[in-house]
Amino acid sequence: MQTIVIANPKGGSGKTTLATNVAGWLAGKRQRVGLDDRDPQQSASAWLARRPALFPPIAPLDPDARRRDAKALDLQWRVVDTPAGLHGDPLRETVRDADLMLVPLAPSAYDMVAAERFLATVADSKAVRQRALPVGIVAMRVDARAHSAAELDDFLAGFEFPVVAHLRQTQVYVWCARDGASVFDLPRSRAEQDWEQWKPLTRWIATHAAVRA
């Protein structure tokens, strides 16, 4: 089983949006995937509860029985939506259990300041230093026309981790959150632009998962 951890210490950075859509993409590829919601707000769990039965299935993982559930379900993937404020021992434990880590980051000064120390901590972790844990940054809610998008790219150039995708600011993700859907559950007419933006990210996941399999 491959574990993808979605982490950023700041609330509102896009962790749940990223986690639910990663899980939706994997499920759409007929993979057995579980969603491990560790955020006290339980937004990912609420999304999963709204998910229509006809959509590709995603298994909820009980917080008190994650490992047992994952083994019983014979999962191929576990997607972990982490809480805000993740640091210290919980962060080290989360990094240790991950096969891949994605860090969502919005183009705002507050998000960049909060992410700077977090990314430095992750870079200094044993798993990353030994090159056992691939880490990718996903720019969230990006408006390519705005100056903040260029500022975000300049900021991220100072880190060793790759920016694997830029996802646009769009109501499509709001509708997906409301309906228990991912962009990959939508018809082409509604989501083709977003599918294109996701291609570098899904390729990155597939490449690193294949290497570690």
Side-chain angles (χ1 to χ4, degrees):
M1 181 181 67
Q2 298 278 309
T3 296
I4 302 177
V5 167
I6 316 295
N8 184 311
K10 186 178 180 299
S13 61
K15 290 187 292 294
T16 299
T17 295
L18 191 56
T20 52
N21 280 276
V22 167
W25 169 67
L26 291 167
K29 294 296 183 181
R30 299 186 178 182
Q31 300 289 291
R32 297 184 301 277
V33 55
L35 187 56
D36 186 348
D37 187 359
R38 302 187 184 183
D39 190 334
Q41 294 185 15
Q42 292 289 285
S43 297
S45 296
W47 172 86
L48 194 54
R50 294 190 293 271
R51 187 166 176 80
L54 293 177
F55 284 2
I58 300 169
L61 296 182
D62 188 302
D64 297 321
R66 292 184 183 110
R67 294 186 184 279
R68 186 181 66 207
D69 287 353
K71 185 175 181 180
L73 293 167
D74 190 26
L75 295 179
Q76 295 165 288
W77 298 87
R78 175 177 58 169
V79 179
V80 181
D81 186 11
T82 61
L86 186 66
H87 68 284
D89 288 341
L91 173 58
R92 284 187 285 273
E93 181 179 345
T94 299
V95 169
R96 187 167 58 247
D97 289 345
D99 294 294
L100 304 170
M101 177 179 279
L102 292 171
V103 181
L105 184 55
S108 81
Y110 298 117
D111 287 80
M112 287 185 275
V113 168
E116 188 164 10
R117 180 178 295 179
F118 177 76
L119 290 171
T121 300
V122 170
D124 194 48
S125 68
K126 183 178 180 180
V128 173
R129 284 189 283 105
Q130 294 180 345
R131 301 193 179 278
L133 176 63
V135 178
I137 298 171
V138 181
M140 305 291 291
R141 301 193 294 274
V142 174
D143 181 349
R145 300 165 299 178
H147 184 63
S148 58
E151 289 180 338
L152 178 61
D153 285 340
D154 289 343
F155 169 76
L156 293 175
F159 294 92
E160 63 181 275
F161 305 126
V163 181
V164 295
H166 292 74
L167 304 182
R168 66 182 179 132
Q169 172 83 21
T170 172
Q171 285 294 109
V172 170
Y173 291 107
V174 177
W175 298 330
C176 285
R178 178 196 65 194
D179 298 336
S182 75
V183 293
F184 303 99
D185 299 311
L186 302 180
R188 180 177 294 275
S189 60
R190 291 183 62 193
E192 186 170 14
Q193 182 177 351
D194 299 294
W195 295 350
E196 287 298 316
Q197 291 190 334
W198 272 79
K199 280 183 179 179
L201 173 52
T202 56
R203 282 196 297 264
W204 186 86
I205 292 172
T207 298
H208 288 287
V211 169
R212 294 177 57 78

Coordinates of all heavy atoms in Angstrom, one line a residue, residues 102-155:
L102 N 2.6 15.6 -0.5 CA 2.2 16.8 -1.3 C 1.9 17.9 -0.3 O 1.2 17.8 0.7 CB 0.9 16.5 -2.1 CG 1.1 15.5 -3.3 CD1 -0.2 15.1 -3.9 CD2 2.1 16.0 -4.3
V103 N 2.4 19.1 -0.7 CA 2.2 20.3 0.2 C 1.5 21.3 -0.7 O 2.0 21.9 -1.6 CB 3.6 20.9 0.6 CG1 3.4 22.1 1.5 CG2 4.4 19.8 1.4
P104 N 0.2 21.5 -0.4 CA -0.6 22.6 -1.1 C -0.2 23.9 -0.5 O 0.0 24.1 0.7 CB -2.0 22.2 -0.7 CG -1.9 21.5 0.6 CD -0.6 20.8 0.6
L105 N -0.1 24.9 -1.4 CA 0.3 26.2 -1.0 C -0.4 27.3 -1.8 O -0.3 27.3 -3.0 CB 1.8 26.4 -1.1 CG 2.5 27.7 -0.7 CD1 2.1 28.0 0.8 CD2 4.0 27.6 -0.9
A106 N -1.1 28.2 -1.1 CA -1.9 29.2 -1.8 C -1.0 30.5 -2.0 O -0.1 30.7 -1.2 CB -3.1 29.6 -1.0
P107 N -1.2 31.3 -3.0 CA -0.4 32.5 -3.3 C -0.8 33.7 -2.4 O -1.3 34.7 -2.9 CB -0.7 32.7 -4.8 CG -2.1 32.3 -5.0 CD -2.2 31.1 -4.1
S108 N -0.5 33.6 -1.1 CA -0.7 34.7 -0.3 C 0.5 34.8 0.7 O 1.2 33.8 1.0 CB -2.0 34.5 0.6 OG -1.7 33.7 1.7
A109 N 0.8 36.0 1.1 CA 1.9 36.3 2.0 C 1.8 35.4 3.3 O 2.8 34.9 3.8 CB 2.0 37.7 2.4
Y110 N 0.6 35.3 3.9 CA 0.4 34.5 5.1 C 0.7 33.1 4.9 O 1.4 32.4 5.7 CB -1.1 34.7 5.5 CG -1.5 36.1 5.9 CD1 -2.5 36.7 5.2 CD2 -0.9 36.8 6.9 CE1 -2.9 38.0 5.5 CE2 -1.2 38.1 7.2 CZ -2.2 38.7 6.5 OH -2.6 40.0 6.8
D111 N 0.3 32.5 3.7 CA 0.6 31.1 3.5 C 2.0 30.9 3.2 O 2.6 29.8 3.7 CB -0.2 30.7 2.2 CG -1.7 30.5 2.5 OD1 -2.4 31.6 2.5 OD2 -2.2 29.4 2.7
M112 N 2.7 31.8 2.6 CA 4.1 31.6 2.3 C 5.0 31.7 3.6 O 5.9 30.9 3.8 CB 4.6 32.6 1.2 CG 4.1 32.3 -0.2 SD 4.7 33.4 -1.4 CE 3.6 34.8 -1.3
V113 N 4.6 32.6 4.4 CA 5.3 32.7 5.7 C 5.1 31.4 6.5 O 6.1 30.9 7.1 CB 4.9 33.9 6.5 CG1 5.4 33.9 7.9 CG2 5.3 35.2 5.8
A114 N 3.9 30.9 6.6 CA 3.6 29.7 7.4 C 4.3 28.5 6.8 O 4.8 27.6 7.5 CB 2.1 29.5 7.4
A115 N 4.5 28.4 5.5 CA 5.0 27.3 4.8 C 6.6 27.3 4.9 O 7.2 26.2 4.8 CB 4.6 27.2 3.3
E116 N 7.2 28.4 5.1 CA 8.6 28.5 5.0 C 9.3 27.6 6.0 O 10.2 26.7 5.7 CB 9.1 29.9 5.1 CG 10.6 30.1 4.9 CD 11.0 31.5 4.6 OE1 10.1 32.4 4.9 OE2 12.1 31.7 4.2
R117 N 8.9 27.7 7.3 CA 9.5 26.9 8.4 C 9.1 25.4 8.2 O 9.9 24.5 8.4 CB 9.0 27.4 9.7 CG 9.6 26.6 10.9 CD 9.2 27.2 12.2 NE 9.7 28.5 12.5 CZ 9.5 29.2 13.5 NH1 8.7 28.7 14.5 NH2 10.0 30.4 13.7
F118 N 7.9 25.2 7.8 CA 7.4 23.8 7.6 C 8.2 23.1 6.5 O 8.7 22.0 6.7 CB 5.9 23.8 7.2 CG 5.4 22.5 6.9 CD1 5.0 21.6 7.9 CD2 5.1 22.1 5.6 CE1 4.5 20.3 7.6 CE2 4.6 20.8 5.3 CZ 4.3 20.0 6.3
L119 N 8.5 23.8 5.4 CA 9.2 23.1 4.3 C 10.7 22.9 4.8 O 11.3 21.9 4.4 CB 9.2 24.0 3.1 CG 7.8 24.1 2.4 CD1 7.8 25.1 1.3 CD2 7.4 22.7 1.8
A120 N 11.2 23.8 5.5 CA 12.6 23.6 6.0 C 12.6 22.4 7.0 O 13.6 21.7 6.9 CB 13.0 24.9 6.8
T121 N 11.6 22.3 7.8 CA 11.6 21.1 8.7 C 11.5 19.8 8.0 O 12.2 18.8 8.3 CB 10.4 21.3 9.7 OG1 10.5 22.5 10.5 CG2 10.3 20.1 10.6
V122 N 10.6 19.8 7.0 CA 10.5 18.6 6.1 C 11.8 18.3 5.4 O 12.2 17.1 5.4 CB 9.3 18.8 5.1 CG1 9.3 17.6 4.1 CG2 8.0 18.8 5.9
A123 N 12.4 19.3 4.9 CA 13.7 19.1 4.2 C 14.8 18.5 5.1 O 15.6 17.8 4.6 CB 14.2 20.4 3.6
D124 N 14.7 18.8 6.4 CA 15.7 18.4 7.3 C 15.4 17.0 7.9 O 16.1 16.5 8.7 CB 15.8 19.4 8.4 CG 17.1 19.1 9.3 OD1 18.2 19.0 8.7 OD2 17.0 19.1 10.5
S125 N 14.2 16.4 7.5 CA 13.8 15.1 8.1 C 14.7 14.0 7.5 O 15.2 14.1 6.4 CB 12.3 14.8 7.8 OG 12.2 14.6 6.4
K126 N 14.8 13.0 8.3 CA 15.7 11.9 7.8 C 15.3 11.3 6.5 O 16.1 11.0 5.6 CB 15.8 10.8 8.9 CG 16.7 9.7 8.6 CD 16.7 8.7 9.8 CE 17.7 7.5 9.5 NZ 17.7 6.5 10.7
A127 N 13.9 11.1 6.4 CA 13.4 10.5 5.2 C 13.7 11.3 3.9 O 14.1 10.7 2.9 CB 11.9 10.3 5.3
V128 N 13.6 12.6 4.0 CA 13.9 13.4 2.9 C 15.4 13.5 2.6 O 15.9 13.4 1.5 CB 13.3 14.8 3.1 CG1 13.8 15.8 2.0 CG2 11.8 14.8 3.1
R129 N 16.2 13.6 3.7 CA 17.7 13.7 3.5 C 18.2 12.5 2.9 O 19.2 12.5 2.1 CB 18.3 14.0 4.9 CG 18.2 15.5 5.3 CD 19.1 15.8 6.5 NE 18.5 15.3 7.8 CZ 18.9 14.2 8.4 NH1 19.9 13.5 8.0 NH2 18.3 13.8 9.5
Q130 N 17.6 11.3 3.2 CA 18.1 10.1 2.6 C 17.4 9.8 1.2 O 17.6 8.7 0.7 CB 17.8 8.9 3.5 CG 18.6 9.0 4.8 CD 18.3 7.8 5.8 OE1 17.3 7.1 5.6 NE2 19.2 7.6 6.7
R131 N 16.6 10.8 0.8 CA 16.0 10.7 -0.5 C 15.0 9.5 -0.6 O 14.8 8.9 -1.7 CB 17.0 10.7 -1.7 CG 17.9 11.9 -1.7 CD 18.7 12.1 -3.0 NE 19.5 13.2 -3.0 CZ 19.1 14.5 -3.3 NH1 17.8 14.6 -3.6 NH2 19.9 15.5 -3.2
A132 N 14.4 9.2 0.5 CA 13.4 8.1 0.5 C 12.0 8.6 0.4 O 11.1 7.8 0.1 CB 13.6 7.3 1.8
L133 N 11.8 9.9 0.6 CA 10.5 10.5 0.5 C 10.4 11.6 -0.5 O 10.9 12.7 -0.3 CB 10.1 11.1 1.9 CG 8.7 11.8 2.0 CD1 7.6 10.8 1.6 CD2 8.5 12.4 3.3
P134 N 9.7 11.4 -1.6 CA 9.5 12.4 -2.6 C 8.5 13.4 -2.1 O 7.4 13.0 -1.5 CB 8.9 11.7 -3.8 CG 9.2 10.2 -3.6 CD 9.2 10.1 -2.1
V135 N 8.8 14.7 -2.2 CA 7.9 15.8 -1.7 C 7.6 16.7 -2.9 O 8.6 17.1 -3.6 CB 8.5 16.6 -0.6 CG1 7.6 17.7 -0.1 CG2 8.8 15.7 0.6
G136 N 6.4 17.0 -3.2 CA 6.0 17.9 -4.2 C 5.1 19.0 -3.7 O 4.3 18.8 -2.8
I137 N 5.3 20.2 -4.3 CA 4.4 21.3 -3.9 C 3.4 21.6 -5.0 O 3.7 21.5 -6.2 CB 5.3 22.6 -3.7 CG1 6.3 22.4 -2.6 CG2 4.4 23.8 -3.4 CD1 7.4 23.5 -2.5
V138 N 2.2 21.8 -4.5 CA 1.1 22.1 -5.4 C 0.6 23.5 -5.2 O 0.1 23.8 -4.1 CB -0.1 21.1 -5.3 CG1 -1.2 21.4 -6.3 CG2 0.4 19.7 -5.4
A139 N 0.7 24.4 -6.1 CA 0.2 25.7 -6.0 C -1.3 25.7 -6.2 O -1.8 25.2 -7.2 CB 0.8 26.6 -7.1
M140 N -2.0 26.2 -5.2 CA -3.5 26.1 -5.1 C -4.1 27.5 -5.4 O -3.5 28.6 -5.0 CB -3.9 25.6 -3.8 CG -3.3 24.3 -3.3 SD -3.9 22.9 -4.3 CE -5.6 22.8 -3.8
R141 N -5.3 27.5 -6.0 CA -6.1 28.7 -6.2 C -5.3 29.8 -6.9 O -5.3 31.0 -6.5 CB -6.7 29.2 -4.8 CG -7.5 28.2 -4.1 CD -8.3 28.8 -3.0 NE -7.5 29.3 -1.9 CZ -7.0 28.5 -0.9 NH1 -7.4 27.2 -0.8 NH2 -6.3 29.0 0.1
V142 N -4.7 29.4 -7.9 CA -3.8 30.3 -8.7 C -4.6 31.0 -9.8 O -5.3 30.4 -10.6 CB -2.6 29.5 -9.3 CG1 -1.8 30.4 -10.2 CG2 -1.8 28.9 -8.2
D143 N -4.4 32.3 -9.8 CA -4.9 33.2 -10.9 C -3.7 33.7 -11.6 O -2.9 34.5 -11.1 CB -5.7 34.4 -10.3 CG -6.2 35.3 -11.4 OD1 -5.9 35.1 -12.6 OD2 -7.1 36.1 -11.1
A144 N -3.4 33.1 -12.8 CA -2.2 33.4 -13.5 C -2.1 34.8 -13.9 O -1.0 35.3 -14.1 CB -2.2 32.5 -14.8
R145 N -3.2 35.6 -13.9 CA -3.1 37.0 -14.2 C -2.7 37.9 -13.0 O -2.4 39.0 -13.2 CB -4.5 37.5 -14.7 CG -5.0 36.7 -15.9 CD -6.5 37.0 -16.1 NE -7.3 36.5 -15.0 CZ -8.6 36.6 -14.8 NH1 -9.3 37.2 -15.8 NH2 -9.2 36.1 -13.7
A146 N -2.7 37.3 -11.8 CA -2.5 38.1 -10.6 C -1.0 38.1 -10.3 O -0.2 37.1 -10.6 CB -3.2 37.5 -9.5
H147 N -0.5 39.2 -9.8 CA 0.9 39.4 -9.4 C 1.3 38.3 -8.3 O 2.4 37.9 -8.3 CB 1.1 40.8 -8.9 CG 2.6 41.1 -8.5 ND1 3.6 41.0 -9.5 CD2 3.2 41.4 -7.3 CE1 4.7 41.3 -8.9 NE2 4.5 41.5 -7.6
S148 N 0.3 37.9 -7.5 CA 0.6 37.0 -6.4 C 1.1 35.6 -6.9 O 1.8 34.9 -6.3 CB -0.6 36.8 -5.5 OG -1.7 36.3 -6.3
A149 N 0.6 35.3 -8.1 CA 1.1 34.0 -8.7 C 2.5 34.0 -9.0 O 3.3 33.0 -8.7 CB 0.3 33.7 -10.0
A150 N 3.0 35.1 -9.6 CA 4.5 35.3 -9.8 C 5.3 35.3 -8.5 O 6.4 34.7 -8.4 CB 4.7 36.5 -10.7
E151 N 4.7 36.0 -7.5 CA 5.4 36.0 -6.2 C 5.5 34.6 -5.6 O 6.6 34.3 -5.0 CB 4.6 36.9 -5.3 CG 4.7 38.4 -5.6 CD 3.9 39.3 -4.6 OE1 3.0 38.7 -4.0 OE2 4.2 40.5 -4.5
L152 N 4.5 33.8 -5.8 CA 4.5 32.4 -5.2 C 5.6 31.6 -6.0 O 6.4 30.9 -5.3 CB 3.2 31.8 -5.4 CG 3.1 30.3 -5.0 CD1 3.4 30.2 -3.5 CD2 1.7 29.7 -5.3
D153 N 5.7 31.7 -7.3 CA 6.7 31.0 -8.0 C 8.1 31.5 -7.6 O 9.0 30.6 -7.5 CB 6.5 31.2 -9.5 CG 5.4 30.4 -10.1 OD1 5.0 29.4 -9.4 OD2 4.9 30.8 -11.1
D154 N 8.3 32.8 -7.4 CA 9.6 33.3 -6.9 C 10.0 32.7 -5.5 O 11.1 32.3 -5.3 CB 9.6 34.8 -6.9 CG 9.6 35.4 -8.3 OD1 9.9 34.7 -9.2 OD2 9.2 36.6 -8.4
F155 N 9.0 32.7 -4.7 CA 9.2 32.1 -3.3 C 9.6 30.7 -3.4 O 10.5 30.2 -2.7 CB 7.9 32.3 -2.5 CG 7.9 31.6 -1.2 CD1 8.6 32.0 -0.1 CD2 7.1 30.4 -1.1 CE1 8.6 31.4 1.1 CE2 7.1 29.7 0.2 CZ 7.8 30.2 1.2

